[in-house]
Amino acid sequence: MDFAAAFTRDPQAAPYPVRCDASAAAVFAVLAAVLALTVNDGRAPDALGWALLLAAHVPLAWRRRAPVPVLLAMVACVVPYHALDYMHLAPIPASMTALYTVASTGRPRRTLFVGLSVTSVTLTIQVFVNPHEMVELLRVSGWVIAMLVFGASIRLYRQLVAGVMERAEREAERKVAEERLRIARDLHDLLAHSITLIGVQTSVAAHVLVADPDRLDREALVKALDGITETCREARSEVRTTLDVLRATPEGPLPDLASLPDLVRTSGADLTVRTGAAKVPAAVGAAAYRIVQESLTNAVRHGAPGADLSVDVGLEKDVLTVRVTNGGSAPGGTGGSGYGILGMRERARSVGGTLSAGPRDGGGFEVAAELPLPGREVTV
């Protein structure tokens, strides 16, 4: 049996409470009978004494369902039992269990009221039965108070554990929501980029076929179709990686700076990477990759035909800088759902960075991000 779980678990939520408590009541009844027969602590029980002693244990079968009524029923049996000076120790285990149950399941005010009432009744009985036994009076009162304090402490401990578990569940839910949002961004960036490139390459192929059928540029057509095939292959691979992360069985790493050449090559942009031998954390590398991917997607979708695209990734102190420049006219930018730039800002913010995006002074459009590198290490 897991005793830690027994103390931290809500007693009302335990499985089969009546069955378990009835079994415990039977055990306490056997223990009380043994004590009544072996301990010399009062008169030996006669028929009435045995009836009162055994009857006091019957309500224990419902102690977790109705703690206070069970305690009152026990008091109704135990008070005349002690008043008739039967073996006083016999019903003590069951009585202490009922007190513990009341204290561990009720509010402090109820526990205090029950404690005062039970102590008063106990002292009154002892005064009439053994008026000269002051030590016995103190001992009985101490047991009552100790059991109530123990039950109240267990109740507070359960509340503390429940609070910790609730906070842990909220934190887990928050992390799940963040992970879902991250995966949604990954899928959005991936699919938007791939579908945009496929659309552009398909348009090129269609233009080659329609513009001058008599002088078909087979090389340009094959290049466009190969580009579509390569884009589909890369998209399928990244979707598989993202879904593997979602299933918690990743088969490949997240995209990082090492993946930028392949990404930029499909867009026809110029790439400059100035990070040297610095180790970029995986989260920062993935954020930089997705920012470049989304920027190129927007540039291809909204930029002017033939515009010069350049990607510059550098390192300034402990900050990774990402700059994507579209030399053509500024995108109508702002058309569409607007999730692109918002998603890039959230990407940067997820690693403690910042991002700005807008038209350039000399024309065109630029996206610039600064991503801090905490605890950066440089290999020698």
Side-chain angles (χ1 to χ4, degrees), residues 206-218:
H207 176 75
V208 171
L209 290 172
V210 175
D212 193 354
D214 297 331
R215 300 177 59 185
L216 181 64
D217 189 347
R218 296 180 180 276

Side-chain angles (χ1 to χ4, degrees), residues 41-53:
D41 190 24
R43 292 194 306 118
D46 52 18
L48 178 59
W50 283 113
L52 292 173
L53 181 61

Side-chain angles (χ1 to χ4, degrees), residues 21-39:
D21 290 340
S23 301
V27 173
F28 280 123
V30 172
L31 177 61
V34 172
L35 292 175
L37 294 173
T38 59
V39 177

Side-chain angles (χ1 to χ4, degrees), residues 284-300:
V284 177
Y289 180 93
R290 293 308 186 193
I291 289 173
V292 173
Q293 185 182 54
E294 180 65 23
S295 300
L296 293 177
T297 299
N298 290 340
V300 172

Side-chain angles (χ1 to χ4, degrees), residues 133-151:
E133 295 289 340
M134 294 301 299
V135 175
E136 184 67 16
L137 290 175
L138 295 176
R139 183 176 67 85
V140 173
S141 301
W143 275 109
V144 172
I145 295 173
M147 191 55 60
L148 291 174
V149 170
F150 177 66

Side-chain angles (χ1 to χ4, degrees), residues 71 75 79 82 99 111-129 137 140-142 144-145 148:
L71 179 62
V75 168
V79 167
H82 287 298
L99 286 172
T111 301
L112 179 61
F113 176 76
V114 170
L116 292 176
S117 301
V118 173
T119 304
S120 300
V121 172
T122 302
L123 292 177
T124 301
I125 295 173
Q126 288 293 329
V127 167
F128 283 102
V129 175
L137 290 175
V140 173
S141 301
V144 172
I145 295 173
L148 291 174

Side-chain angles (χ1 to χ4, degrees), residues 311-370:
V311 178
D312 181 85
V313 180
L315 194 64
E316 297 179 3
K317 295 184 179 180
D318 291 337
V319 176
L320 183 71
T321 60
V322 179
R323 194 177 303 275
V324 182
T325 304
N326 177 9
S329 60
T334 70
S337 64
Y339 288 127
I341 294 177
L342 177 61
M344 289 189 290
R345 285 202 177 99
E346 291 297 327
R347 285 280 183 187
R349 189 178 305 160
S350 67
V351 293
T354 58
L355 183 139
S356 60
R360 303 171 61 203
D361 294 336
F365 199 82
E366 183 178 79
V367 175
E370 295 184 354

